[in-house]
Amino acid sequence: MSRLASPLSLSPRAGAWRSPEASVIPNLHLPMRSLEVKNRTSVDDIKGLRLITAIKTPYLPDGRFDLEAYDSLIHMQIVNGAEGVVVGGTTGEGHLMSWDEHIMLIGHTVNCFGARIKVIGNTGSNSTREAIHATEQGSPSACMAPFTSIPIMERHPSKAWFLISRPSFRWVPTIIYNVPSRTGQDIPPVVVNRVSWNPNMAGVKECVGNDRVREYVEGGVTIWSGNDDQCHDARWDCGAVGVISVTSNLVPGLMHELMFEGKNPALNSKVMPLIEWLFGEPNPIGLNTALAQLGVIRPIFRLPYVPLRLRRGSSLLE
């Protein structure tokens, strides 16, 4: 065993405790320093991202994160032109994680890939206090843009949501996530317009539709489409800066082409059957099943998610 690999020891033979070299050689085992430039993410850095992947979180048989498979997924995004990843979002099953897991995964992503791709950490929560805590814990390691959204299936008046949303703007660029199909409540434009003055307001992931996207763009708000089936038109007809995509977990190169290479209705039509299949059941059930069948991840599912059931007559990945 080399000296660098020696464990800590305090034995009668040694006579005295001796620190391993790893503890006294600066940064021998650390992938980064907390003040490195790659952690310095500005609002403008976030506003210019055209393809952001809502990245899947894979698991080992014992339920822990499969970081080897996760790193391969991130690497595939980088190689194929994705500019950012959302860590622990809906697709990444952040709502099924403990906060310790959540913050660890954000930190791991920044440590390993922060120099090559922008990291956006989901720090939304049903509890405002928890959301603030998560943003405080995540931002020092990532200086990432956190997601913030209405608490799931809990109704709040617009003024209350305005107060809920404000704490996340204190530290880092923030993306508001409007997904009424999951939260049970739309974030109306009056609320978004009231917070858009904040210098840390990066923009909105909007899932209501392209009419709303166009309205925001005309008002000067940065928008990402949250609907893969509408993102081509949102980008090229409605002025969205890009998409925060589920489908790009599978075909990042094609989604990159749709977001970067100009209008391409033919390619958009070819991708549409895959998108429709992925969202035939609530996300991320379809994506989890497809990635497992392709051998990209192990077929391990965190409850309540289970594999997509076989449907007769389907021609895609069943």
Side-chain angles (χ1 to χ4, degrees):
M1 180 180 293
S2 71
R3 294 178 64 194
L4 293 182
S6 324
L8 297 174
S9 62
L10 177 59
S11 65
R13 291 183 180 179
W17 178 86
R18 183 172 61 86
S19 171
E21 291 188 42
S23 68
V24 295
I25 298 177
N27 298 321
L28 177 69
H29 61 291
L30 297 178
M32 62 172 289
R33 297 179 181 179
S34 61
L35 297 179
E36 283 187 0
V37 173
K38 67 183 178 183
N39 279 355
R40 304 290 188 177
T41 300
S42 70
V43 174
D44 289 340
D45 289 335
I46 299 299
K47 285 185 174 183
L49 304 180
R50 287 159 285 186
L51 177 59
I52 303 170
T53 298
I55 200 73
K56 158 67 181 168
T57 306
Y59 305 105
L60 294 167
D62 63 4
R64 294 178 298 124
F65 296 155
D66 184 346
L67 292 180
E68 183 178 357
Y70 178 82
D71 290 353
S72 294
L73 278 170
I74 299 283
H75 180 70
M76 182 175 72
Q77 299 303 313
I78 294 170
V79 168
N80 286 279
E83 298 173 302
V85 288
V86 174
V87 178
T90 303
T91 304
E93 302 178 11
H95 49 293
L96 305 184
M97 298 177 188
S98 69
W99 279 120
D100 287 343
E101 289 179 316
H102 213 136
I103 300 306
M104 181 279 289
L105 192 61
I106 293 172
H108 170 82
T109 308
V110 173
N111 287 349
C112 295
F113 303 102
R116 292 181 287 165
I117 197 166
K118 296 301 179 184
V119 179
I120 301 167
N122 173 31
T123 58
S125 172
N126 275 17
S127 164
T128 302
R129 183 178 181 183
E130 286 292 324
I132 295 171
H133 174 71
T135 303
E136 289 175 331
Q137 293 297 308
S139 58
S141 66
C143 279
M144 45 74 186
F147 261 2
T148 183
S149 62
I150 289 179
I152 295 173
M153 298 309 295
E154 294 185 16
R155 300 195 64 80
H156 298 273
S158 295
K159 289 183 179 179
W161 194 87
F162 176 66
L163 296 176
I164 288 170
S165 71
R166 289 187 67 183
S168 67
F169 291 109
R170 295 177 185 171
W171 304 286
V172 286
T174 300
I175 296 175
I176 293 175
Y177 181 22
N178 187 32
V179 55
S181 63
R182 289 187 179 269
T183 63
Q185 184 176 354
D186 180 26
I187 302 175
V190 63
V191 173
V192 172
N193 291 333
R194 289 185 67 182
V195 298
S196 64
W197 58 267
N198 192 294
N200 277 333
M201 166 70 167
V204 180
K205 176 184 177 182
E206 183 56 70
C207 297
V208 166
N210 284 349
D211 288 341
R212 178 72 63 82
V213 169
R214 185 179 291 106
E215 177 183 350
Y216 281 140
V217 170
E218 290 174 353
V221 179
T222 299
I223 298 293
W224 294 270
S225 174
N227 299 326
D228 283 3
D229 61 336
Q230 299 178 347
C231 69
H232 173 268
D233 293 346
R235 171 87 169 102
W236 302 111
D237 295 335
C238 303
V241 68
V243 63
I244 299 179
S245 174
V246 174
T247 309
S248 56
N249 279 275
L250 290 168
V251 288
L254 294 181
M255 297 305 295
H256 181 275
E257 188 171 346
L258 285 177
M259 293 297 103
F260 282 75
E261 303 299 329
K263 291 190 70 171
N264 193 337
L267 178 59
N268 189 52
S269 296
K270 290 180 180 179
V271 176
M272 203 58 61
L274 173 60
I275 294 174
E276 292 173 353
W277 185 88
L278 285 173
F279 291 92
E281 296 289 339
N283 181 54
I285 293 173
L287 176 65
N288 291 351
T289 303
L291 288 172
Q293 289 187 309
L294 291 168
V296 177
I297 64 173
R298 291 176 169 88
I300 309 298
F301 297 80
R302 275 195 179 183
L303 294 175
Y305 294 127
V306 295
L308 188 65
R309 297 183 63 183
L310 179 66
R311 295 196 302 267
R312 293 183 179 180
S314 173
S315 59
L316 286 172
L317 297 173
E318 297 197 9

